[in-house]
Amino acid sequence: MNSNTKNISPKPIEAASTVNEESVPVINIENLRKSFGDNHVLRGFNLKVYPGETVAVLGKSGSGKSVLIKCLVGLLPYDSGMAQVLGKNIGGLTQEELDKLRTDIGFLFQGSALYDSMTVRENLEFSLRRHIDRLNGESINDKVVEVLDSVGLAGTENLMPEELSGGMKKRVALARTLIINPRIIFYDEPTSGLDPITSKEISHLILEIQNKYKTSSIMITHDVQCSRIAANRIVLLVDGVNYVEGRYDELINSPDPEVQAFFK
């Protein structure tokens, strides 16, 4: 681990699944660096994510959270270091290899990114038809019904996005992510723009999804309460590095002023 990182025993919070840290990490980030000219965003970031674990990356606006997650899915090339996802070094993959790896990765966009001209069913089917080989004998309709039920939206197949509340759009977007049976999910500000009650509901849903589907996840967020509910471990991204990581109850009691600034 980087010397800049203060590691506070990364064990899962009680509400989340048990994580086996002796297993091979599904995500392994070592000394990751990314700059835009003189703006050094990531300055040697380190993180390991284990099977079945959800890690929340907290950071101030402009701290590099979005840059980090874009590097991990190959949307941005990083300058140096290593970003390894499911055993593949992102920086060394061809476009074909990267596209194949992405079939095992789900991405929940901050703005949900539903197609406005499609019904809920059509939004889900559009994603699934690109991965039709994953049905394993199920029909497309069965899969749509299953994932909508998983996110608490049974019976909404024929609604249009304009008929959905902000929280319902997030749930449909999560259903679209789940329908391809991803091994890893990246959450980009999953509670952004939602009221406190709906934010709490989405946070609990993320936890339920983790426990049901055994997914591994990185969640970038500014929402401390979402991290408390849904994450096994919280990482603070400060000055481009993993400044500290640990359980919510450990971090909130830290005497470090830099850490306390996130939890006031």
Side-chain angles (χ1 to χ4, degrees):
M1 182 163 293
N2 190 303
S3 59
N4 290 320
T5 302
K6 301 178 180 180
N7 186 10
I8 302 180
S9 57
K11 300 176 182 177
I13 58 176
E14 282 187 20
S17 304
T18 300
V19 173
N20 180 8
E21 293 175 16
E22 295 181 357
S23 58
V24 177
V26 292
I27 299 173
N28 186 17
I29 307 167
E30 295 183 3
N31 200 30
L32 197 67
R33 296 178 182 271
K34 177 63 181 176
S35 299
F36 299 93
D38 293 332
N39 182 17
H40 303 289
V41 180
L42 300 177
R43 301 169 180 253
F45 186 87
N46 294 273
L47 179 65
K48 287 180 171 61
V49 179
Y50 295 92
E53 181 181 32
T54 295
V55 174
V57 179
L58 285 178
K60 298 177 183 177
S61 179
S63 63
K65 301 189 302 297
S66 293
V67 170
L68 172 64
I69 206 169
K70 287 177 181 177
C71 287
L72 293 178
V73 295
L75 294 177
L76 276 178
Y78 47 88
D79 300 331
S80 62
M82 183 182 73
Q84 196 175 67
V85 178
L86 295 174
K88 306 292 184 181
N89 193 338
I90 297 296
L93 298 181
T94 65
Q95 188 60 53
E96 182 179 356
E97 291 169 335
L98 185 58
D99 289 342
K100 183 178 180 180
L101 177 63
R102 286 172 177 165
T103 64
D104 284 319
I105 298 173
F107 198 105
L108 183 71
F109 295 93
Q110 181 174 340
S112 299
L114 301 179
Y115 295 105
D116 292 338
S117 61
M118 295 182 180
T119 64
V120 168
R121 174 187 295 278
E122 290 167 340
N123 266 279
L124 299 182
E125 289 179 347
F126 182 82
S127 178
L128 183 57
R129 288 183 191 280
R130 298 179 60 196
H131 308 280
I132 200 73
D133 57 313
R134 297 192 173 206
L135 282 175
N136 295 321
E138 299 171 281
S139 71
I140 289 178
N141 182 69
D142 289 342
K143 195 64 178 176
V144 168
V145 170
E146 176 196 336
V147 295
L148 284 177
D149 184 62
S150 293
V151 299
L153 287 181
T156 62
E157 292 92 335
N158 296 320
L159 294 180
M160 300 296 293
E162 64 188 22
E163 300 177 89
L164 306 176
S165 66
M168 292 173 73
K169 288 179 181 178
K170 289 282 187 182
R171 289 173 182 265
V172 172
L174 184 51
R176 185 177 60 186
T177 298
L178 291 172
I179 206 166
I180 65 168
N181 299 320
R183 295 174 62 186
I184 292 174
I185 299 177
F186 292 115
Y187 296 97
D188 184 4
E189 299 283 3
T191 59
S192 176
L194 302 178
D195 62 81
I197 294 176
T198 306
S199 294
K200 188 175 181 180
E201 291 174 349
I202 294 298
S203 301
H204 280 289
L205 180 58
I206 291 171
L207 178 60
E208 291 170 13
I209 292 300
Q210 177 202 12
N211 289 331
K212 180 175 181 179
Y213 292 97
K214 311 304 179 186
T215 55
S216 307
S217 308
I218 288 182
M219 176 171 60
I220 60 170
T221 183
H222 64 278
D223 187 338
V224 173
Q225 291 308 310
C226 178
S227 301
R228 179 185 66 81
I229 293 169
N232 300 86
R233 185 160 36 113
I234 298 173
V235 170
L236 301 189
L237 176 54
V238 179
D239 293 331
V241 301
N242 179 339
Y243 181 78
V244 67
E245 61 187 69
R247 302 193 313 262
Y248 173 87
D249 61 340
E250 294 172 315
L251 296 183
I252 198 172
N253 292 313
S254 169
D256 188 330
E258 190 77 54
V259 176
Q260 277 300 305
F262 286 87
F263 297 93
K264 289 181 179 178

